[in-house]
Amino acid sequence: PTGSLLYPYGPDQGDEMNPKHDDGTSEAIALSVPFTFYGKTYHTLFVNNNGVISFNEHIRQYTPDPFPLADGLAFVAPYWADVDNVLGGDIFYRQTTDPALLGNISRDITQYFPESPFTATWAFVATWDHVAYYGSISEKGNTFQAVLTTDSKMCFVILNYWDIQWTTGAASDGDAETGLGGTPAHAGFNSGDETNFYNIPGSQTDAIINITTTSNVKVPGRWVFRVDDFQVTGVDPPQMNDNACWL
């Protein structure tokens, strides 16, 4: 979409597409450049339909659990909830070294983290495009994106929320008509070491529907983190939206 926070995606960008399968997942994706997350280096990831990018193992779980998880799985959760792309939407991903895209990513990260100038050499872009929720009897869809990027030393994750219309699938006690209620979506990071994690404010509450208006880099709908040695650096506390109540 024009004026969108989202970096370019879709078939014309050379993206692969996940199967149309409830609780589906990509095949194992071998990374051309290793990616370090919470001090561990990974060479394989999965794009899981339910709004999660996981390292080494796929994740089919559809109702989010609070972090930290005890199962040792390391993952980035742009929007962990019960997606059903059979009912609507597409899930795209690609690894890229496209100079124009890397230039844009580098500029953005250097702007947010001026103390550590960053020149991306690789990026992984995963986009959930107008995806439906399990049990939906509505036309509601969510569009969001996760970008993993590195300069071979520092590793960052950019989370972009363009249009969020539902929080919960019907099997997570959500309302089939509204896609709300029950156990709402979770956004954040689980290190896999059973101790370290980060929750984006509003996770697993009804307030997560407002994630398109929140940010840690003063760009509504965008959250950016350095993740090689996970830190929330150079970042103000989440800006409170006057209309939202964070409990």
Side-chain angles (χ1 to χ4, degrees):
T2 327
S4 167
L5 280 181
L6 302 174
Y7 297 105
Y9 68 93
D12 57 340
Q13 298 293 325
D15 280 0
E16 306 280 327
M17 199 188 279
N18 268 17
K20 295 274 187 187
H21 192 273
D22 181 43
D23 303 329
T25 169
S26 68
E27 295 175 356
I29 300 160
L31 302 182
S32 55
V33 170
F35 191 81
T36 304
F37 182 66
Y38 281 99
K40 282 191 184 162
T41 299
Y42 297 95
H43 299 269
T44 307
L45 56 73
F46 291 82
V47 176
N48 305 278
N49 288 10
N50 288 337
V52 173
I53 295 175
S54 55
F55 297 100
N56 292 353
E57 293 177 54
H58 60 68
I59 291 180
R60 295 190 189 275
Q61 183 176 331
Y62 54 85
T63 301
D65 279 324
F67 295 164
L69 302 183
D71 57 13
L73 291 176
F75 62 84
V76 173
Y79 201 80
W80 184 17
D82 197 359
V83 170
D84 188 349
N85 64 343
V86 178
L87 293 179
D90 293 301
I91 299 153
F92 297 105
Y93 64 88
R94 74 184 180 283
Q95 297 186 68
T96 179
T97 55
D98 174 64
L101 177 66
L102 293 181
N104 288 340
I105 290 172
S106 302
R107 269 193 302 279
D108 287 343
I109 289 178
T110 299
Q111 182 188 333
Y112 309 141
F113 297 84
E115 72 287 353
S116 9
F118 180 77
T119 304
T121 53
W122 170 92
F124 183 88
V125 182
T127 310
W128 285 257
D129 183 47
H130 203 74
V131 291
Y133 56 92
Y134 179 81
S136 172
I137 53 171
S138 76
E139 296 293 308
K140 287 185 169 187
N142 286 346
T143 300
F144 57 94
Q145 184 178 68
V147 178
L148 282 57
T149 186
T150 183
D151 62 359
S152 81
K153 292 182 192 68
M154 295 183 283
C155 295
F156 286 88
V157 174
I158 302 170
L159 302 176
N160 293 320
Y161 301 94
W162 182 242
D163 189 18
I164 300 294
Q165 302 181 356
W166 61 267
T167 63
T168 321
S172 311
D173 297 326
D175 182 298
E177 205 166 323
T178 64
L180 304 174
T183 304
H186 196 125
F189 300 85
N190 193 66
S191 67
D193 65 12
E194 300 179 26
T195 306
N196 292 293
F197 64 95
Y198 180 82
N199 296 330
I200 287 180
S203 284
Q204 291 197 330
T205 76
D206 295 340
I208 199 68
I209 195 95
N210 299 319
I211 197 166
T212 54
T213 68
T214 65
S215 176
N216 64 349
V217 292
K218 299 184 171 64
V219 180
R222 175 172 284 173
W223 290 77
V224 186
F225 301 90
R226 182 167 170 188
V227 299
D228 47 293
D229 174 19
F230 189 90
Q231 44 192 289
V232 190
T233 43
V235 163
D236 301 328
Q239 290 177 305
M240 300 308 168
N241 181 325
D242 294 337
N243 306 322
C245 300
W246 300 110
L247 299 177

